[in-house]
Each structure stands twice: as structure tokens, then as C-alpha cells.
Amino acid sequence: MNSLEIRQKFFDFFSKFQHTIVPSSSLIPAQDPTLLFANAGMNQFKDCFLGKENRSYKRAVTIQKCIRAGGKHNDLENVGFTKRHLTFFEMMGNFSFGDYFKKEAISFAWDFLTKEIGLDSEKLYASVFREDQEAYDIWLKSIGLPSNRIIKLGEADNFWQMGDTGPCGPCSEIYFDRGLSFGCKKEDCLPGCSCDRFLEIWNLVFMQFDRQPNGKDILLSQTGVDTGMGLERLMVVVQNKDSVYETDIFAPLLAGIEELSGVSYDQAPQDIKTAFCVLADHIRSASFAIADGCMPSNEGRGYVLRKIIRRAALFSQKISDKNIFPELIQFLVLSMGKIYPELIAQQKLIIALLENETEKFALNLIHGQELLKKYVKESVDQRTLSGENAFKLYDTYGFPIEITKVIVQESNYTVDIPGFEKQMEIQRAQSGKKQKAVFAALPSNIITLFTGYTELITEAKIIALLVDNELVDQVEKNKTCWVITDKSPFYVECGGQVSDQAKIFINTVPAAVNNLKKIDKAIAAEIITPFQICIGDTVMQSVDSQSRIDSMKNHTATHLLQAALVSVFGKSIKQAGSLVVPDYLRFDFSYHESITAEQLMAIELIVNQKIRENIITEITTTTYNNAIGQGVTAFFGDKYNPDNVRVVTIPGFSAELCGGTHVRATGDIGCFKIIEFSSLSVGVKRIVALTGQKAIELYLESFALSKHLSQEFKVKPNFVFDAVKKLKDQTKMLQFEVKALKKELLQSQIPSLIQNIPLIGSLPLLIHTFSTATLEELKEIAGDLIKRKSGFYLLFGGQGEKLFCFGLVSADCKISFSLQDFSLFLSEQYSFKGGTNKNSFYGSCRKINQELIRDWFLKNNN
Ligand code: SER
């Protein structure tokens, strides 16, 4: 059975038991700061487990794209060195939200493995959390698994949590016994041992708690089931292979590496095999991450991506001198493009980013490895690389700690990780980065109704007050506090649109809103209290209408812009970021090719055309799947409630999932003008544009300016550019002529100067100032003079307080002082600044006194 068949069987089996097939979510978690990448099938259901979100189904089945390369679940360092670890994998899972629990979950899993795909039931083991007698009994009594194949394990193995906070619970894992010949070969080896004998294939989590930031577990209002089975590991068992890399999933990638490098995997020594596996894994994680909108950077998930690519570069050099890693994408697209079309759509961007990243890192990789060799030699006694040195490699050559570890491991060294962390901490402290304030969770009845789609002034009641993150009943005068009301017209920053500028009127006294925040389902406004306020007080909340209307114009124009970009460049355009403020809009998007001025103008024309059509915007709500099915654009980083998404449609042209505020009809935007276009990095472009009054003012100013110029140049506005160019050419020619004339003038003085060079002792010394000469010209004249007559030439140029100075002495002139001595004298007397060569010196100084200089020569030249 191949992996495609297993995928289908999995969906079919759970559909049969009323599970809704839900597509994999993006690898970029939707507005979840606790997660770097989607790392489990349950991520997209986090709020369903927490009871914060209700969907039309209570049972779901998914095959989820996952990356475990940073944060709580991190397998990056194991990849290549074990037979089962991957940074990217697909997790098959079935879920229950307040529906079935342990008994059904265990029985579904058992039936799927033993009946659907026919695994040998004698080889299956189960582990349970040691305090979970209920799960133990289900395995023993309902399933009939013998007690010697049910293992009780502790929290580390059998209690699952998604991150430091969030839904969690005890779990039960299913293992497949691959036989004594695998792993540690100890007779008494059991699941839980770190060796390869018992392969963990399925984890059934019984969601019961919500872990708080302080580590406490709160009981969830409903229990749930979250299961996860790595497709790749299952294939090891189904296809009876030694490692995940030998399954049909990886075969095309290993073959691809062979083709690009000319090296045979089967005949390669173990370290080269390891490198094959690392590349095969890393091309998957890097490509899928990029396809979902992640860009390499020095922070957060962007840095995890960068680490993966750099680690791949390290291993790639073991296989081939060529940079084969970026090329591997073609083999991934061939094998997985049908299942994940985003790989096909973003193939060019992926290859461009991978090439850029690996090429930029190539030299650092060479120099860093040389330095590392030196460090290793220096610390031969301790066999540990110091934290300082590991940090130097990170800081100077961009070596992530993971790749430093791999390299020193080859010499059987370790790295002083605490020492490294300490250095990182010092750096962080120096760069002064502050953690953002985290707000305490609010009671579930504190909910604000957003009225700002239809009104800009709303009367409301205060329902909660927060001071220093504590809930209080009243706040004294002149205190900073967060006011939460039952209704609010205030738009809180989301989807690129910034928060409103606003005021709260309390008994008609205005208090400026200094900050707006969404806390759970409440809108909180930060003010300084004009007098004592209490829960229950009635307030008037007012949005600054001009800035809001300007933001609305910019927001709708952003939608028009995105649709225009897609219409000109095709569907591979992906939003990479967006900012909507009252004054302008900024839109970042990924696109791998260069964009011409003509194409930008075409985009401006399209957007303005749509504005003139004055299309009425339509706002509807529907389910996420329905919207996506109808081709509505969704932004990868945003969180959408699958059962209730808001669609902003400009009929016939654009439809986007969006919670922002928009104009009633496109004509309200008035006008659109791109004012800036730039490339942010490989494959990411930025457009900044103006709308409404601001765009019109820009057009008017530009028109006035070009009119003014056309009058000045006495040509039609269309010809101003040519006129300026002509003027520039003329100026250049004139400068050239002036230079030549000046040279002639200066040279015409040479004959008379040569005739009257005074002697200081036997040394001919000419001191002369050319009032119009530059340093370059002085140098030329000195060269001419010295060709005619040997001597010491001390020439000055310019007028006023500061002069250029150039001195030149013939090689055959005997002087008994050094030019340094003389320039020192000039420095002391005339603030000379410059440089000295063998026979010359140059620089600038104050106005000189020729007599004093002659005296110095008399004294110092014998
Ligand atoms: N969330 C659990 C895991 O990732 C089961 O899906 O292992």
C-alpha cells in the first residue's frame, strides 16, 4: 500500500463515522503568538477545545502539514541522525469536540490499524498515562490487549500539551514492535525506550485541561479527543522499511539528490546517507514554510526557516560542490504538488529564496568552519566549545547553534549551551528588546459588541476596568486604566488596519484614547481618567471620523490593489504584509520576477478604473470553506472562524476575507496613486500608495510643478524631461571646457614661475598660491613644474581660510629633513591635515606665511 492509498483510507474510515473532512490549515498559525509553526493537527481546533469557538461539526478528520523545528516541539537536531525524526511531516488526526471520548477514540484507532490497513495486532503496544486507569482498562477489557503490552508511563511521555499554555491532557500512544533486531536489542526493551525498536505511530490525547501561564491546569468545560499519527512513520510499518526515508514518500527526493549530485545513496557511507536524509527532510520543511508565506529572517519563525536552510547548506557540501539544495524543489513539486498546489504556485519564489539564502551563506560557511576548526584545536583538553566561541560563530558568521553542534560532534566535542545562552541573553539585553505586555484572561461574560461598522459614536456602559492588569470596580481621577464597555465603535488594529483615533466622553468630559486592545472578546480602551469612574457608568465613545474615513479609503483601495496585482501578474501573488493607516497604505507581496514602471502604471490605471466604476461594496458572512471554495482570497497569517467569516466583495473584481472597515462604494476612494515601489528582499515587493484627498493633492502638486518647469524651460510639459536632460548634457560639456581653460591658465604661469625660484641654501624652493586651483590641479601643476626644473614645490590652492596644499620634491634634491618633519611643522603652525608619500604630501591647511616657512627651511635644511 502506498502513501496515497493510506491517505484516502484514513479519510474514508473516519468519514464513515461522521467525521467532517477539514483541510490542513496553513503552517503559519493563525494569530497564535504561542506557536511558531503549526505543529499538530489540533492547532486549528485550539479554540474548539477551549470552548471559545463552536463549529457546525463535533467530529473532524484532517491530514495536517506540521513543522517541528522550534519552540516546544523541536526535532531539528535529530533529523538525519535517527530513522524517524523529521522537521516537516503530515499528521493524520481525528478529533472530537465535546463528543466522543476515550473509549471510542481508542477503538477507532485500533480498528483502523488492525482492520482497515491490516497491521499485525500482535505487534501493537499501548502506553497510557500512569494515573489514567480508565484508559488502561479500555485497552485491557474493551480491546483485549494483554496487560504486558500496556505500559504505564509518566508525564514526559504520556501527557500532551501544545505549548506552554493552552489545551492539554493525558494521552495514550500506540507503538509498533519492529522486533528485537531493531534498536537497543535488550530483551526487556519496552515502549518509552529511546531506541528504534518500538515505533510510536499514533498518539491519542484526551483533552481535559487548559494550562495557564502560571502552570496551573484548569478543567475544560467539555472533554475532547485529539489524535495524531505521523503519515511517514505509519508508512515505515506499512511498507516494512527501516526508516521513514526509505518509504515511498521520500523515494523521489533521494532519487533527485542522486540525479543532481551523481552520488548513489545505497552505496554511500553512513555520513553521506545522513546528509541525503537531512536534505530530503529540509527541502520539505523549507519549501512548505515558504509556500505558506514564511520568509527567512533573523527572528521568530523566519529564523527557524533560516536555520533549516543553513543546516541544509552544511550537509549539502558533504554530497556535492554544487548548490543542489534549491534545485530539489522540482522533485518535491512532482511528488507532492498535486496534494498541495501551493508548492506549484510558489515554486519560483521558493527556488529564488533558497538560492539567495544559500548563496549569501556560502562564504560564511567556509570561513566559519575554518574558525571552528581553530577553536576545536584550542580546546582539545576540555573537548567542549565554549559558549563565547559558539556565540562568536553565531554573531560573525551566522552559524545557528544547531549547525555548530553538528560540526563539533564530528570531533566528539560538545558545546557549552548554557554559556552560549548567556551570551545571547547579554546581546538581547543590550538590544533592549522588551516583552509585550500580556493581559490576564477576562471572565467569559466580558464581551464587547463592535458597532463600528455602521456608526462612529456609540453610547455604552462600562462593564470592566483594568488597572495594572488587575480587574477593579472603580478608578480614581488621573489614573491610567483600560476601559471595557458593552458596545464600542472603536476599531482595534487587525488585518493591517490600524486602531482608530478616538475619545471617550464621560459626563461630557472627553478623555483621549491612548491605546486600543482586543482582550479575548472585549475591546479595551486605555485612557487617563478625568475623574473617578466606576463599572456601570455610561460613556459616549467617539471615533475621529476623518482619520477613520481615510483608513477606510485606504483599506478598500488595498483590496482593489491586491486584485489588480493578481489580474496583471497572476495568482501566484501572495500578500506578505499590509498596513492601512489614515495617511497611506502599504502592501507587501511575494512575487519572484521584476516589475516594470509600465506594469505599475497598468495597476494604477486598473485601480482608478474600478474607483470610477463606483462599485458598491458588499459585506456578507459565510463559512470559511464556502468562501474558499468560491475563490475568496484569505491572508495566511490571519485567524478565521471556520463557521463565520466576513467576506468583503467588490462585485466582479475582488473578494477577500476581512474584518476591516470599508467605504460604501469604490467611488468614495476618489483617487489612487502609487508613490513608492521597492524590493524588500528576494521575492518580496512593497507598494506604498495614497488615496482620496492626499492622492489628489499629489496629482495637483505634480501638475503645478511640471507646469512651472515647462514655463521655465519654455517647452510643453511632455518635453520637460528632454529639456532637463539637454541642460545636464550642456552643463557637463561646459564643466569640461572650464576645466580645460583653467588648466591652460594655470599652465601659462609656469614659465615665469620657473624662472624665479628662490634658493634656500642650495635648495630651489617655490612657494606659490593659485587662487582657483583644486587639489587635483595642484598635483598636475606640481608634476609639470618638476619635469622642467628640479626643486621643492610647495603649492597652495583656493581662497579664504582653508587652502588645499600639495608639496612635491624632486628625487635628486638633497634635503636633510623628512617630509613628515615638515608636515608636522605645517600641522602645528597651519593646522595641516592630510597624508605624506615618499616624495610628496597633500592635504589642507590654513592660510600660510611664506616667510615663516622659508625660515623653517633655513633652520632645518643644512
Ligand atoms: N496533539 C497530539 C500530538 O501532536 C495528538 O495529535 O501528538
Side-chain angles (χ1 to χ4, degrees):
M1 233 183 289
N2 66 30
S3 51
L4 275 180
E5 290 165 312
I6 292 284
R7 284 171 195 280
Q8 199 52 49
K9 273 189 181 297
F10 190 71
F11 281 140
D12 291 348
F13 177 81
F14 282 99
S15 300
K16 211 164 63 195
F17 294 102
Q18 293 81 45
H19 288 68
T20 300
I21 300 179
V22 179
S24 167
S25 71
S26 162
L27 278 165
I28 315 287
Q31 283 180 8
D32 188 342
T34 63
L35 256 193
L36 284 169
F37 287 105
N39 64 9
M42 56 75 62
N43 295 159
Q44 62 170 318
F45 304 118
K46 181 178 169 186
D47 284 348
C48 301
F49 287 117
L50 292 175
K52 288 187 182 171
E53 191 180 316
N54 279 317
R55 302 203 181 176
S56 54
Y57 47 83
K58 288 197 166 304
R59 296 178 175 203
V61 57
T62 63
I63 299 184
Q64 171 68 42
K65 298 181 278 186
C66 295
I67 288 184
R68 290 189 174 177
K72 188 147 196 77
H73 298 275
N74 184 355
D75 290 332
L76 182 60
E77 288 177 35
N78 291 324
V79 170
F81 300 107
T82 72
K83 296 174 176 182
R84 60 183 194 279
H85 283 104
L86 298 165
T87 54
F88 172 87
F89 64 101
E90 290 173 275
M91 184 182 272
M92 304 192 287
N94 55 294
F95 305 89
S96 148
F97 315 114
D99 194 69
Y100 61 84
F101 201 39
K102 297 182 188 179
K103 190 154 184 239
E104 295 86 339
I106 291 174
S107 126
F108 281 145
W110 183 257
D111 287 352
F112 180 74
L113 293 178
T114 57
K115 296 190 187 145
E116 263 324 288
I117 56 174
L119 294 190
D120 180 355
S121 60
E122 296 300 311
K123 293 197 172 153
L124 294 178
Y125 283 63
S127 69
V128 295
F129 183 46
R130 64 171 168 248
E131 286 157 34
D132 190 355
Q133 192 58 35
E134 186 188 353
Y136 185 92
D137 288 342
I138 295 170
W139 279 113
L140 189 73
K141 294 177 192 152
S142 308
I143 303 295
L145 201 64
S147 59
N148 63 347
R149 288 203 269 136
I150 311 172
I151 321 295
K152 290 186 174 180
L153 292 175
E155 186 160 339
D157 290 287
N158 279 68
F159 192 94
W160 200 86
Q161 55 192 100
M162 174 184 144
D164 290 328
T165 57
C168 55
C171 61
S172 175
E173 293 180 316
I174 304 176
Y175 292 81
F176 186 86
D177 181 6
R178 313 181 65 207
L180 203 57
S181 60
F182 278 88
C184 68
K185 302 194 171 58
K186 287 186 198 139
E187 287 283 351
D188 57 353
C189 173
L190 277 175
C193 174
S194 63
C195 81
D196 281 326
R197 175 172 166 186
F198 290 97
L199 188 64
E200 177 207 321
I201 50 176
W202 206 338
N203 185 13
L204 318 177
V205 182
F206 311 122
M207 290 296 188
Q208 270 167 281
F209 307 105
D210 177 13
R211 185 155 293 181
Q212 301 298 300
N214 62 10
K216 282 209 178 103
D217 289 338
I218 298 180
L219 213 54
L220 289 169
S221 55
Q222 58 177 27
T223 56
V225 169
D226 147 37
T227 88
M229 170 159 60
L231 173 64
E232 298 78 0
R233 286 192 187 180
L234 182 65
M235 292 319 296
V236 168
V237 175
V238 171
Q239 297 181 337
N240 194 20
K241 296 289 186 193
D242 188 34
S243 101
V244 284
Y245 297 102
E246 291 172 15
T247 63
D248 70 322
I249 297 174
F250 283 93
L253 293 174
L254 298 185
I257 302 173
E258 288 183 324
E259 190 181 316
L260 294 172
S261 66
V263 177
S264 148
Y265 176 78
D266 285 336
Q267 283 157 26
Q270 189 48 49
D271 62 329
I272 301 295
K273 280 197 165 112
T274 297
F276 265 75
C277 298
V278 170
L279 294 202
D281 169 81
H282 288 13
I283 192 65
R284 292 184 357 132
S285 43
S287 304
F288 275 103
I290 295 170
D292 275 349
C294 184
M295 295 282 161
S297 74
N298 283 335
E299 284 183 343
R301 62 178 69 98
Y303 187 55
V304 174
L305 172 60
R306 180 160 278 170
K307 283 202 286 197
I308 293 171
I309 299 171
R310 291 189 175 177
R311 195 168 182 267
L314 175 77
F315 282 92
S316 170
Q317 57 169 15
K318 293 181 197 284
I319 306 177
S320 171
D321 291 339
K322 287 182 279 177
N323 186 13
I324 59 172
F325 183 62
E327 308 255 345
L328 281 176
I329 177 67
Q330 52 185 301
F331 301 98
L332 182 63
V333 164
L334 277 179
S335 63
M336 297 187 85
K338 271 214 182 99
I339 307 167
Y340 298 106
E342 62 268 36
L343 286 176
I344 301 173
Q346 301 301 337
Q347 182 170 356
K348 282 193 180 162
L349 176 68
I350 295 169
I351 197 159
L353 280 175
L354 294 183
E355 271 173 1
N356 183 269
E357 277 290 301
T358 45
E359 279 161 17
K360 261 190 342 205
F361 185 55
L363 263 189
N364 278 5
L365 188 59
I366 295 169
H367 295 321
Q369 285 178 111
E370 279 163 10
L371 186 65
L372 198 45
K373 257 190 218 146
K374 188 175 138 248
Y375 288 157
V376 163
K377 258 196 209 141
E378 283 168 6
S379 47
V380 70
D381 295 337
Q382 305 89 328
R383 304 200 81 74
T384 300
L385 184 78
S386 72
E388 280 93 351
N389 285 343
F391 180 75
K392 262 185 225 152
L393 279 157
Y394 162 82
D395 204 32
T396 322
Y397 294 112
F399 270 36
I401 191 68
E402 289 83 354
I403 81 168
T404 301
K405 273 195 208 163
V406 170
I407 300 170
V408 300
Q409 255 164 27
E410 286 170 1
S411 319
N412 277 326
Y413 275 51
T414 52
V415 183
D416 171 14
I417 297 294
F420 173 78
E421 291 299 344
K422 200 168 140 198
Q423 297 296 322
M424 290 291 283
E425 201 44 59
I426 294 171
Q427 194 198 42
R428 273 194 285 267
Q430 279 163 355
S431 66
K433 279 189 186 154
K434 278 195 196 139
Q435 293 279 326
K436 276 193 186 161
V438 177
F439 285 88
L442 291 174
S444 56
N445 60 342
I446 305 292
I447 296 172
T448 310
L449 175 75
F450 177 59
T451 55
Y453 288 134
T454 50
E455 55 188 48
L456 296 180
I457 297 179
T458 298
E459 191 182 81
K461 264 202 169 36
I462 298 179
I463 53 170
L465 290 162
L466 272 174
V467 175
D468 293 334
N469 210 10
E470 298 279 340
L471 283 167
V472 292
D473 291 339
Q474 61 181 50
V475 184
E476 299 309 312
K477 183 177 170 179
N478 282 338
K479 290 261 177 299
T480 299
C481 75
W482 292 89
V483 178
I484 298 173
T485 44
D486 56 348
K487 287 182 273 172
S488 171
F490 300 156
Y491 185 82
V492 182
E493 178 165 359
C494 185
Q497 182 179 335
V498 292
S499 295
D500 280 333
Q501 294 165 25
K503 285 195 180 88
I504 296 184
F505 290 84
I506 311 166
N507 288 344
T508 71
V509 180
V513 173
N514 297 325
N515 218 333
L516 282 165
K517 273 253 170 343
K518 212 141 190 222
I519 311 176
D520 297 332
K521 291 183 176 162
I523 295 174
E526 192 193 47
I527 58 162
I528 297 175
T529 48
F531 37 75
Q532 190 195 60
I533 57 171
C534 303
I535 289 189
D537 283 357
T538 300
V539 292
M540 224 31 173
Q541 303 177 103
S542 161
V543 175
D544 175 59
S545 56
Q546 191 55 54
S547 61
R548 162 68 92 75
I549 289 166
D550 288 345
S551 288
M552 282 157 58
K553 288 178 183 165
N554 285 333
H555 203 152
T556 312
T558 303
H559 286 210
L560 289 177
L561 172 63
Q562 172 148 232
L565 285 167
V566 170
S567 73
V568 173
F569 300 116
K571 281 214 155 78
S572 69
I573 289 281
K574 232 175 200 252
Q575 178 175 344
S578 156
L579 178 70
V580 173
V581 294
D583 287 348
Y584 63 93
L585 67 94
R586 196 178 76 198
F587 188 72
D588 299 341
F589 58 99
S590 51
Y591 185 59
H592 48 276
E593 284 176 32
S594 48
I595 290 178
T596 62
E598 288 73 28
Q599 287 171 319
L600 283 181
M601 202 191 271
I603 285 170
E604 285 176 317
L605 286 174
I606 296 173
V607 174
N608 280 302
Q609 165 70 28
K610 293 293 158 192
I611 290 173
R612 283 195 307 278
E613 286 173 20
N614 198 18
I615 309 165
I616 294 183
T617 46
E618 283 175 8
I619 313 280
T620 49
T621 51
T622 177
T623 66
Y624 179 83
N625 281 348
N626 195 14
I628 298 300
Q630 289 174 8
V632 173
T633 308
F635 179 43
F636 66 85
D638 280 354
K639 161 126 180 116
Y640 302 109
N641 175 351
D643 283 341
N644 187 18
V645 289
R646 185 170 182 264
V647 183
V648 176
T649 308
I650 300 160
F653 191 56
S654 147
E656 281 189 42
L657 294 191
C658 178
T661 60
H662 288 269
V663 293
R664 189 197 52 86
T666 56
D668 296 351
I669 300 168
C671 182
F672 172 85
K673 178 78 192 95
I674 293 177
I675 54 165
E676 200 185 302
F677 172 74
S678 54
S679 268
L680 290 186
S681 59
V682 186
V684 183
K685 317 269 193 269
R686 165 167 290 179
I687 282 178
V688 182
L690 304 181
T691 62
Q693 177 78 5
K694 287 232 152 44
I696 290 174
E697 277 167 12
L698 185 70
Y699 277 117
L700 291 179
E701 279 162 17
S702 306
F703 181 79
L705 182 68
S706 81
K707 179 117 190 157
H708 189 74
L709 287 170
S710 101
Q711 283 163 349
E712 195 69 18
F713 284 104
K714 301 195 173 45
V715 292
K716 292 214 168 95
N718 282 0
F719 293 103
V720 167
F721 185 77
D722 290 341
V724 171
K725 198 165 170 298
K726 204 164 135 198
L727 190 67
K728 269 170 82 183
D729 290 346
Q730 272 172 0
T731 313
K732 221 183 204 168
M733 277 235 321
L734 289 174
Q735 277 169 342
F736 198 71
E737 277 172 26
V738 167
K739 204 171 163 196
L741 284 172
K742 226 171 128 190
K743 190 169 173 185
E744 247 174 58
L745 190 68
L746 290 169
Q747 276 175 343
S748 71
Q749 299 179 46
I750 290 180
S752 67
L753 288 172
I754 293 274
Q755 273 172 16
N756 302 312
I757 301 183
L759 287 175
I760 302 291
S762 60
L763 175 72
L765 169 67
L766 175 71
I767 308 177
H768 189 76
T769 303
F770 298 89
S771 57
T772 58
T774 63
L775 187 60
E776 202 49 38
E777 285 162 349
L778 292 180
K779 196 173 160 191
E780 261 180 53
I781 303 169
D784 286 343
L785 285 166
I786 212 157
K787 265 190 237 148
R788 306 244 191 135
K789 191 169 182 186
S790 92
F792 195 116
Y793 294 97
L794 185 51
L795 310 182
F796 297 91
Q799 293 158 328
E801 282 311 299
K802 201 169 161 201
L803 302 178
F804 295 117
C805 164
F806 189 82
L808 186 64
V809 53
S810 316
D812 58 355
C813 270
K814 299 248 167 323
I815 48 172
S816 51
F817 57 88
S818 73
L819 291 186
Q820 273 88 353
D821 291 340
F822 182 58
S823 65
L824 199 66
F825 159 71
L826 285 182
S827 310
E828 282 163 4
Q829 285 294 324
Y830 304 111
S831 313
F832 169 79
K833 278 196 190 72
T836 311
N837 294 324
K838 195 162 155 245
N839 288 325
S840 65
F841 59 94
Y842 57 91
S844 64
C845 62
R846 281 194 288 115
K847 209 165 169 190
I848 46 115
N849 176 327
Q850 293 206 7
E851 282 316 307
L852 276 185
I853 293 183
R854 279 202 196 94
D855 282 353
W856 189 91
F857 269 75
L858 273 175
K859 255 192 240 147
N860 290 281
N861 195 29
N862 321 308

